[in-house]
Amino acid sequence: EVQLVESGGGLVKPGGSLRLSCAASGFTFSSYSMNWVRQAPGKGLEWVSSISSSSSYIYYADSVKGRFTISRDNAKNSLYLQMNSLRAEDTAVYYCARDDSLGAKDYWGQGTLVTVSS
Amino acid sequence: DIQMTQSPSTLSASVGDRVTITCRASQSISSWLAWYQQKPGKAPKLLIYKASSLESGVPSRFSGSGSGTEFTLTISSLQPDDFATYYCQQYNSYSRTFGGGTKVEIK
């Protein structure tokens, strides 16, 4: 059974940093591109970042470029999101999601809440 | 970046109704479009990929159509479990933009 479990969320002050993790199991993690998608309270879904299976291709939404860094450790079946210079507008539930072979997100974690507030 | 526009933003319908949601892309995305269902407090669930392919395990009352810039998600006979918010997402470009969502409410 495919499982994605996020962790690392919490309350952080504006300008602070946080590192999210996503532990994957039930599939060959090193064969799939992965993503971070976020959802601000009461709002819609926003794609944040994607990373290819071997980390060769990495992409970011303009809203986080230069502040967030996506990475993965295929030996540990883990995906990460390093978030720096956090702003109030980064407050959201952050989901990790797997890409199917074509790019649709076929499995999602349960999400981890990041709150940026003083 | 490719913009995705969904309509309507809210839809009131009754059990048994046929429901159609539209998604428009700001430029052609061929058939690289997915539809997701999300219920409150839960992660999104993939319903349709590549515009019209039904994800395994998804009821056949859900269907998708379209290509280029115009896409639709149709629920042929709305069931109680279908009241939720639906999102389209393009994956033609590296920037995987979502539509703003359509909330399907009980009439």
Side-chain angles (χ1 to χ4, degrees), chain A residues 7-28:
Chain A
S7 60
L11 176 63
V12 61
K13 289 182 168 54
S17 298
L18 212 55
R19 189 195 196 205
L20 305 183
S21 299
C22 173
S25 61
F27 66 102
T28 305

Side-chain angles (χ1 to χ4, degrees), chain B residues 9-66:
Chain B
S9 55
T10 306
L11 187 159
S12 296
S14 302
V15 172
D17 284 354
R18 181 181 181 88
V19 166
T20 299
I21 299 168
T22 298
C23 182
R24 289 188 175 86
S26 60
Q27 64 188 73
S28 177
I29 58 170
S30 185
S31 295
W32 302 115
L33 184 99
W35 290 97
Y36 303 87
Q37 176 194 67
Q38 188 181 33
K39 296 181 179 179
K42 299 294 186 182
K45 172 188 174 183
L46 178 64
L47 300 175
I48 302 284
Y49 62 94
K50 210 175 178 191
S52 59
S53 296
L54 192 68
E55 176 71 352
S56 176
V58 174
S60 58
R61 62 181 180 273
F62 291 92
S63 64
S65 64

Side-chain angles (χ1 to χ4, degrees), chain A residues 39-53:
Chain A
Q39 187 169 37
K43 302 296 185 183
L45 300 171
E46 180 187 15
W47 168 79
V48 172
S49 183
S50 297
I51 186 168
S52 63
S53 57

